[in-house]
Amino acid sequence: MSQLQDNFGRRFHYLRMSVTDVCNFKCSYCLPDGYRPDGKPTFLTLSEIENLVAGFAAVGTQKIRITGGEPTLRKDFTDIVRIVAQTTNVNTVAMTTNGYRLQQHAKEWYDAGLRRINVSVDSLDPKMFYQITGENKFDQVMRGIDAALEAGFERVKINAVLLKGLNDKDLPRFLHWIKHTPIDLRFIELMETGLGRDYFKAHHLAGIDIKKQLEQDGWLYDLPSADDGPAQNFSHSDYQGRIGLIMPYAKNFCASCNRLRVSAKGKLHLCLFTENGVDLRDLLQDSSQRDELITRLHGQLAQKKETHFLHQGITGVTKHLASIGG
């Protein structure tokens, strides 16, 4: 089967697959009022996930990141990891998590085939962590990161959303942490969503400002590998860890797009800031539907736009990032 490709020559070998939009944190930039279900949740079943992953793998998907909400809230999360890891042609299984279950389950998930973990830690100040996330779980999350490092994961990344007036003074603390700790620290520029315009105006901090500071301090740009996401990564000879910057408002941000998204209810999203999405669930009921699924995927890629429209203030219908897996 031919690899998924859009009309601009971009090839897509990376799938972000949400398995739930439920989250137990109340992050101020995502779910400030906590999770509120939109009707009765009917998330993808294990068999639907298996058919979905196999279909994407057949058209060149090599990396799958399991996302949420908080994906580990699913009781069958380990089974999901195992399904993805055992899929032919998928060679990288990753997850994004808030880390609250990591300490107890890191080894179990590693044994099931999970190899890369991104943990959201928006501040290394426990009080600010609580203010941003709405949960007093800083120590628990940090112990989970230690457990992931001990379990042998090939890559542990820390995600921190840049927030003016909140965690924008945390850079020295983060730098001190990665000086002797082999983790990738990624600063993510705050993106405007449908319900967050006022919050965006109050707290948006341009990632380019952090980039200039890093370059002044001797951090060097790392050339990206084929399966890297949109982060610009930097390393320094005095530090064991690296720093990555995700800057969606930077010039040509979308030129290297290599990822697609499927929501927890089976909708394909061509962009994080797209419209309603295209339902795939009707073609996930049996493996015999795979050719039809692949045909639909190829057809939808022909509709993908060259770039997002964030600069024009158009955020699509995405109410918050938890709804389609960030």
Side-chain angles (χ1 to χ4, degrees):
M1 296 288 183
S2 59
Q3 184 168 16
L4 293 175
Q5 181 173 323
D6 67 9
N7 292 332
F8 306 97
R10 295 175 296 195
R11 293 176 177 269
F12 297 85
H13 55 260
Y14 178 8
L15 172 66
R16 294 179 63 97
M17 179 182 68
S18 178
V19 295
T20 179
D21 62 15
V22 180
C23 188
N24 58 326
F25 278 30
K26 299 182 287 291
C27 294
S28 57
Y29 54 83
C30 186
L31 292 173
D33 299 319
Y35 174 70
R36 296 183 177 183
D38 182 14
K40 184 179 180 180
T42 53
F43 304 130
L44 292 175
T45 66
L46 289 177
S47 62
E48 289 172 329
I49 288 171
E50 184 173 8
N51 290 328
L52 175 73
V53 171
F56 269 90
V59 286
T61 297
Q62 300 173 9
K63 176 180 179 180
I64 293 182
R65 177 174 298 279
I66 307 168
T67 69
E70 172 48 43
T72 67
L73 288 175
R74 281 192 57 149
K75 295 180 180 178
D76 57 359
F77 178 75
T78 303
D79 296 323
I80 294 173
V81 171
R82 192 172 292 112
I83 286 171
V84 177
Q86 292 175 353
T87 302
T88 302
N89 297 328
V90 174
N91 55 37
T92 302
V93 185
M95 168 183 69
T96 297
T97 176
N98 60 29
Y100 95 108
R101 293 187 68 202
L102 197 50
Q103 182 182 6
Q104 292 80 11
H105 298 279
K107 185 65 165 59
E108 173 189 335
W109 297 334
Y110 181 87
D111 291 343
L114 191 65
R115 288 296 177 267
R116 299 184 182 183
I117 292 183
N118 286 24
V119 186
S120 297
V121 183
D122 292 309
S123 178
L124 293 180
D125 176 354
K127 292 182 180 178
M128 181 56 66
F129 180 93
Y130 174 71
Q131 183 175 338
I132 295 173
T133 67
E135 295 292 334
N136 189 21
K137 290 185 169 66
F138 175 78
D139 291 337
Q140 183 176 338
V141 171
M142 297 303 287
R143 289 194 298 269
I145 293 169
D146 290 339
L149 292 169
E150 293 170 6
F153 285 91
E154 65 184 46
R155 188 169 294 175
V156 177
K157 293 182 179 179
I158 305 303
N159 291 347
V161 177
L162 291 170
L163 299 168
K164 182 173 65 177
L166 293 174
N167 63 5
D168 50 346
K169 301 295 191 295
D170 265 19
L171 183 58
R173 201 186 297 241
F174 276 114
L175 290 175
H176 178 75
W177 185 29
I178 66 172
K179 191 172 183 66
H180 303 292
T181 307
I183 56 176
D184 282 15
L185 173 62
R186 305 197 318 168
F187 290 118
I188 303 171
E189 191 171 342
L190 181 66
M191 294 168 272
E192 184 179 348
T193 55
L195 296 180
R197 180 157 296 175
D198 291 340
Y199 188 94
F200 176 80
K201 289 180 178 179
H203 296 295
H204 178 253
L205 177 65
I208 193 68
D209 295 338
I210 303 296
K211 179 180 179 179
K212 290 177 180 177
Q213 182 176 341
L214 291 174
E215 291 175 336
Q216 290 174 359
D217 294 341
W219 289 81
L220 302 177
Y221 175 70
D222 296 334
L223 292 176
S225 61
D227 69 341
D228 277 348
Q232 295 185 33
N233 293 304
F234 298 83
S235 59
H236 195 295
S237 58
D238 294 338
Y239 291 79
Q240 289 192 30
R242 294 194 310 167
I243 294 179
L245 298 174
I246 297 181
M247 300 179 287
Y249 293 89
K251 185 178 180 181
N252 297 325
F253 176 77
C254 298
S256 60
C257 182
N258 61 2
R259 63 184 61 188
L260 297 169
R261 292 171 170 82
V262 172
S263 74
K265 296 181 181 179
K267 284 193 173 184
L268 172 69
H269 292 268
L270 301 176
C271 177
L272 181 57
F273 296 95
T274 188
E275 293 307 313
N276 291 305
V278 177
D279 196 11
L280 301 178
R281 198 164 196 172
D282 59 310
L283 299 180
L284 302 178
Q285 303 313 304
D286 191 89
S287 60
S288 64
Q289 299 174 291
R290 187 165 305 158
D291 288 348
E292 194 175 351
L293 171 64
I294 289 171
T295 297
R296 186 174 295 178
L297 292 176
H298 278 295
Q300 289 304 311
L301 260 295
Q303 310 301 318
K304 185 169 172 61
K305 306 297 183 183
E306 186 174 11
T307 184
H308 60 57
F309 298 99
L310 290 177
H311 295 98
Q312 293 95 321
I314 300 173
T315 61
V317 298
T318 303
K319 294 181 179 180
H320 48 72
L321 300 182
S323 65
I324 59 172

